[in-house]
Amino acid sequence: MDPETDRQEREDSLIRQLSSLDVKIKQIKKITNLPPNVRAKIEALKKVQLDQLDREVEFHRKVHELEVTFQQRYADINDKRRQIVDGTYVPRKEDLPVGFPDVEGDQTSGIPEFWLTVFKMTPVLQTMIREADEPALKRLVDVRAVVRNDPQPGFELEFEFEPNVYFNDRVLKKQYLMKCAPNPENPFLFGGYEIYDTVGHEIDWKEGACLTTLTETDEAGQKRQLMTNSFFNFFNPKKLFEKTDPALSIQFLETDFEIGYYIKERIIPRAVLFFTGEANDDLDDPDSEEEEEDDDGEKLTVSEEDSK
C-alpha cells in the first residue's frame, strides 16, 4: 500500500469514528430529554436485558460442561494423530484417501519436526521462536488441550516432549482460568466465558541448558542471570513482566490469553492444515470476528482488576 492510500484510509477511518461518536452523543442527549414515562419504559427494557443475561450465563456454563464431557470423544482421534507424528503408528491403506498410491520404504520415523513446523507456519507463534529454541521444539511430539470445570472452569495446554538435553520435564503445562459472570460495573458487555488468569509451569532445566536466561559477566567479573527472548517464556509469562509497568503487564497478559485460546481453538484441532500451509490464520486480522468471539460466543477479554 502506497503512503498516500494509507493516509487516506486512516483519515477515512477517523472520520467514521468521529461521526459514530457524534451520533451517540446526540442520542444520549435525546434520551435525557425524553418524558419520564418513556424513560421508565427504557429502564424497564434494561431490566429485561439483565434478566436475559442470567439466561446467557446459564447457557454458556452448560456449553462449557458439554465441552468437558465431549472431549473424551476426541481422545482416540488425538491419540492416533500423536502416534502418526511420532512414528509409533504407520497409516494403513484404510487410513488413506481412496486411490492414494502405496508407500514404499521405512515409515517408522513419523513426521519429523511436525509441531515446530506448525508453530513456524503460524505468524503469531513464529515471532516467539528463536533459533536457539528450535532444537528443543524439534523434540515436541504432541500438543493437547484439557478442558476442566473442577475445581474451577478453565483449560490446560499440555506440550509433550521426547527426552532431550534441555529439560527433565516430559510434559510442559500451562493453565488458563476462566469465569462466566457479568462485570457488575458494566454487565451489558458480557459475552460468555472470559480468561482472567494463567498459571505457568516452572521448567526443570538441565544444568547450563536454560533457554530463557543468559549469563552476563560485568566489568568486575561478576556473573548474573538475565531474562532473554524465548518461546519457552510462554510457560511462565508473568515472570517476564513481574517488575515492569502494570499497564504493560496487563496488555502482555491479555495477548497471552489470546494466544493460549488460539492454540486451543485453532492450532490443536487443525494442526495438519497449519503444517501444510492450508490453514487460515486470522488471529492478527483486525476485521476477523473470530479474533474476539469463537463459535460458542466465548470472548477473550480481561479487565485491569482481573489481572492484578
Side-chain angles (χ1 to χ4, degrees):
M1 181 182 299
D2 63 86
E4 179 60 26
T5 302
D6 181 59
R7 182 189 64 80
Q8 186 62 49
E9 287 190 358
R10 283 189 282 111
E11 288 183 357
D12 292 343
S13 176
L14 181 59
I15 291 173
R16 288 194 298 270
Q17 292 177 38
L18 292 175
S19 176
S20 176
L21 181 61
D22 183 56
V23 170
K24 290 181 179 180
I25 292 174
K26 289 180 179 178
Q27 181 64 11
I28 291 172
K29 291 180 178 179
K30 181 179 178 180
I31 296 296
T32 304
N33 294 322
L34 286 173
N37 62 327
V38 178
R39 291 176 60 186
K41 294 181 177 67
I42 293 173
E43 291 303 315
L45 288 177
K46 287 186 177 181
K47 179 61 168 59
V48 170
Q49 184 72 37
L50 288 173
D51 293 340
Q52 179 177 318
L53 285 180
D54 292 338
R55 276 68 169 181
E56 289 184 16
V57 169
E58 182 182 4
F59 168 77
H60 287 291
R61 287 177 177 170
K62 291 292 185 182
V63 169
H64 185 76
E65 290 173 5
L66 180 62
E67 187 177 9
V68 171
T69 302
F70 205 81
Q71 68 182 337
Q72 298 301 320
R73 301 284 298 274
Y74 291 104
D76 56 338
I77 297 174
N78 293 335
D79 190 53
K80 188 172 185 178
R81 180 177 70 179
R82 182 200 182 285
Q83 293 175 9
I84 293 174
V85 169
D86 69 15
T88 57
Y89 177 84
V90 177
R92 304 183 180 93
K93 187 173 182 179
E94 59 267 25
D95 296 316
L96 302 173
V98 176
F100 195 88
D102 293 336
V103 180
E104 299 179 356
D106 183 15
Q107 296 295 309
T108 60
S109 58
I111 305 178
E113 303 180 20
F114 177 81
W115 285 103
L116 172 59
T117 303
V118 169
F119 290 176
K120 293 178 72 174
M121 291 296 292
T122 309
V124 69
L125 296 185
Q126 181 188 59
T127 60
M128 298 164 57
I129 299 173
R130 288 189 310 147
E131 185 176 351
D133 297 326
E134 294 193 16
L137 290 173
K138 288 178 182 179
R139 310 298 290 181
L140 180 60
V141 295
D142 194 30
V143 182
R144 49 189 176 263
V146 180
V147 185
R148 293 192 171 90
N149 211 22
D150 185 41
Q152 57 186 313
F155 64 92
E156 187 173 69
L157 299 178
E158 299 181 349
F159 296 69
E160 183 180 349
F161 288 81
E162 295 175 331
N164 59 81
V165 299
Y166 296 95
F167 42 82
N168 295 309
D169 311 86
R170 288 299 301 273
V171 179
L172 302 182
K173 299 180 180 181
K174 185 170 183 181
Q175 186 179 5
Y176 288 90
L177 307 180
M178 305 172 70
K179 65 179 181 179
C180 186
N183 186 332
E185 296 182 2
N186 200 340
F188 298 119
L189 290 179
F190 176 77
Y193 271 97
E194 297 176 349
I195 299 173
Y196 69 90
D197 201 3
T198 180
V199 179
H201 183 116
E202 195 68 40
I203 300 175
D204 183 15
W205 295 103
K206 295 182 178 180
E207 185 176 357
C210 181
L211 295 169
T212 59
T213 62
L214 56 85
T215 302
E216 183 181 80
T217 304
D218 60 23
E219 296 178 355
Q222 298 293 322
K223 295 183 178 180
R224 59 176 180 171
Q225 296 289 323
L226 300 175
M227 296 290 294
T228 186
N229 292 329
S230 170
F231 173 83
F232 291 92
N233 288 323
F234 173 75
F235 295 98
N236 198 356
K238 294 180 181 178
K239 192 172 182 179
L240 272 178
F241 284 81
E242 57 188 4
K243 295 182 180 180
T244 193
D245 178 78
L248 181 60
S249 178
I250 291 170
Q251 182 180 359
F252 176 79
L253 289 175
E254 196 171 39
T255 300
D256 177 70
F257 296 163
E258 293 182 359
I259 293 173
Y261 199 80
Y262 190 74
I263 291 174
K264 170 184 176 289
E265 291 293 314
R266 297 290 186 266
I267 296 178
I268 291 177
R270 297 169 175 80
V272 67
L273 300 180
F274 282 93
F275 182 84
T276 61
E278 298 173 79
N280 178 23
D281 180 19
D282 52 20
L283 181 62
D284 295 322
D285 182 358
D287 296 324
S288 171
E289 293 180 357
E290 292 180 340
E291 176 184 350
E292 297 181 354
E293 186 169 341
D294 83 329
D295 297 335
D296 296 328
E298 293 185 351
K299 300 187 75 174
L300 301 175
T301 59
V302 57
S303 69
E304 182 173 341
E305 182 180 355
D306 294 332
S307 299
K308 290 180 181 178

